[in-house]
Amino acid sequence: MTDLTPGGGWGSALKRFFLDLDARLNDGAYRLAGAIGRAWERLADLADRVQVYGWKRVFAEIASEGMTLGTGGLLVLLMLAIPAFRDTAEDWRKPSELSVVFQDRYGNEVGRRGIRLNDSVPLEEFPDHLIKAVLATEDRRFFEHYGIDIIGTFRAIATNARAGGVVQGGSTLTQQLAKNLFLSNERSIERKIKEAFLALWLESRATKNEILKTYLDRAYMGGGAFGAEAASEYYFGKSVRDVTLAEAAMLAGLFKAPTRFAPHVNLPAARARANTVLDNLVEAGFMTEGQVFGARRNPATPVDRKDDAVPNYYLDYAFEDVKRLVAATPSLVDRVLTVRTGLDLAIQKQAETSVDQILRQYGSDYGASQAAAVVMEVDGTVRAIVGGRDYGASQFNRATEAMRQPGSSFKPLVYGTAMREGLINSRSIVVDRPICLGNWCPQNYGRSFSGSTTVTSAMVRSINSIPVILTQQMGRGDSRIGRQKIIATAREMGVTRPITDTAPMPIGAAEITLVELTTAYGSFASGGLALQPHAAVEIRNSAGELVWRADRDLPPRKRVFTPQVAADMNGMLVGVVESGTGRRAQVQGVQVGGKTGTTNSYRDALFVGYSSHFVTGIWYGNDDYSETNRMTGGSLPAMTFSQIMTTAHQGLDRRPIFGLSTAPQAPAGAPSAAPLPQAGIADRPQSLSRRSMEVLGRIDLMLRDAAESRPGPLSAAPSGSVTR
């Protein structure tokens, strides 16, 4: 047993250890107190020897208090500036906003989005007269101070006092850079405090040349341009390497007030400011009056910047596409990008022209004021986008952002789902009969039912009851299960936005964007493979290096339908164009398939179709969702489709659509989509007199009023229940 008595064992040893530790602590404390006392005595002796009296004592006391208060004040200011230092965690040398130059499919520049930024020019390649002009105007003692220029600040105060106003700023170039990188333009004491501390921080982290280069690259200079290189290209159409002294003076004058002195906004003010910069060059001793004389006599003239022909709707979509790619691709760290797109200017121009001309010629007759169009290749590369009638009047992109009911143009997604489920094929017999889901009973366009018919005939004639019946059968009697299968198929086909699950959804009551509906049809054109729509084909960084390529970096395409299902669907949709509601969409010598869509009360009219090369979607309607004058998808949308696809196929081989063997021959007597003057108003007889047309119009209005006032399932049907 262990001995726990005080006289023996480990208990005694432990007691001795603590006694020894206590003694050592006491001795150490005594020695430390003695050392502190002796040090205090020496300090007191020193203070006695340097003690001052009289006026010297007053000065010493003031200096001492000043140092104490100054140190405390400096600590307070530093505490106020600490939040600004959190923004320095990221690499401040790299821009945070995207600057994108867009090219068409052939590599020709067509426009820009994001900030105009180009930092690819080394500092040593900047013209000497530009650097001198900037320093003479912004910070003459830049290479002599350490971020804060006390002498320059007092000089600015004196100059402003003499002038009776603010004519010269006291901020150094480093302070301006700190504000541009980390702060806002707010005029406050707190911002100036943060600016001063961040300027000191920048001076400790970078060389003078690095600070100057970053300032020249990142300062806003008007017109959406950031940096001297981007501003030179925008205002003068040349690299900053090649600017003249007069142009350099105009650029240097933009750093402090880019909006007020931008030459494309106020050329006289810009030239007056440039003349002030030339004065500064002479005053600072950087140049003589003789050297700047030529620049005074021949001021700079900016290039004319009119962008009437820029495909703005397409570029807006392409910019959003690039932002998604940058967010999803870790390797795309550069913020200055050059993007080659799939834009085909010939198709884009034809799409814009067709929409404009058809709206001008037929818009008032049909009561339609807006239109949209999307053209893409069968691999998903977007060739053209028209987001509305006039970009200048409205930047809202109706092709990519507007959620509208697709009407019967949604039905192919239902038939495709039923085929994928093994429920039908193109030769199956279905029964066109009345069906009700709750208190909703869909009606066909002619208010009648056909009985037994083939699936192909049901598609060609755009029967409404069949998709609803098929939806119920896919759910084994539960239409909700069938609709969920349709939604799942639509998601695989490229519809990314939520589809509202309602009873009329199978006949096009759910809202969808035109670009997503067009993408979905691409699954038929491509033989069953899903499309991922994309504007970008290649992306290069600021050094010109290829960093992303669609055919290499996009995820593999997924199969939605078997080749047989795709072939069956293609045969049915070609039949719609050859002998159904989409006859006006025919393209001479080109096999095309597609489907019309007309929503309840004629609010929206669509035609979405494709060939072996392209998938195209067209929409017509009104922004306020008002009714059109009985416009159907087989009228203006189909005619627009025909015109655009005719241009798109010029010079291309005329191969048949996937799964079909021969190109179509237009049936005898089939209406032609061109020329438009001969087509008249679509779906209207041309042999009647004006008087007869007026009488029939009044009768038609009376019948519509009677139908709307008549009680029954139709009057209670949700929007979209009668489609074609």
Side-chain angles (χ1 to χ4, degrees), residues 40 89 105 107 269 706:
W40 179 257
R105 63 192 299 257

Side-chain angles (χ1 to χ4, degrees), residues 119-182:
D119 57 1
S120 60
V121 179
L123 182 63
E124 55 270 18
E125 295 184 20
F126 277 75
D128 183 64
H129 50 256
L130 174 61
I131 294 177
K132 288 180 177 178
V134 172
L135 294 180
T137 305
E138 301 299 324
D139 190 355
R140 298 176 189 177
R141 288 171 40 81
F142 173 69
F143 287 100
E144 300 170 21
H145 61 69
Y146 195 75
I148 300 175
D149 185 8
I150 304 299
I151 297 175
T153 300
F154 280 110
R155 184 180 64 245
I157 293 173
T159 302
N160 294 336
R162 287 194 301 268
V166 179
V167 296
Q168 190 175 106
S171 296
T172 65
L173 189 147
T174 311
Q175 287 176 274
Q176 294 179 51
L177 178 61
K179 182 189 69 174
N180 293 339
L181 292 177
F182 307 117

Side-chain angles (χ1 to χ4, degrees), residues 692-703:
S692 299
M693 292 283 287
E694 291 174 353
V695 172
L696 288 175
R698 287 197 296 269
I699 294 174
D700 179 66
L701 289 174
M702 293 170 61
L703 290 174

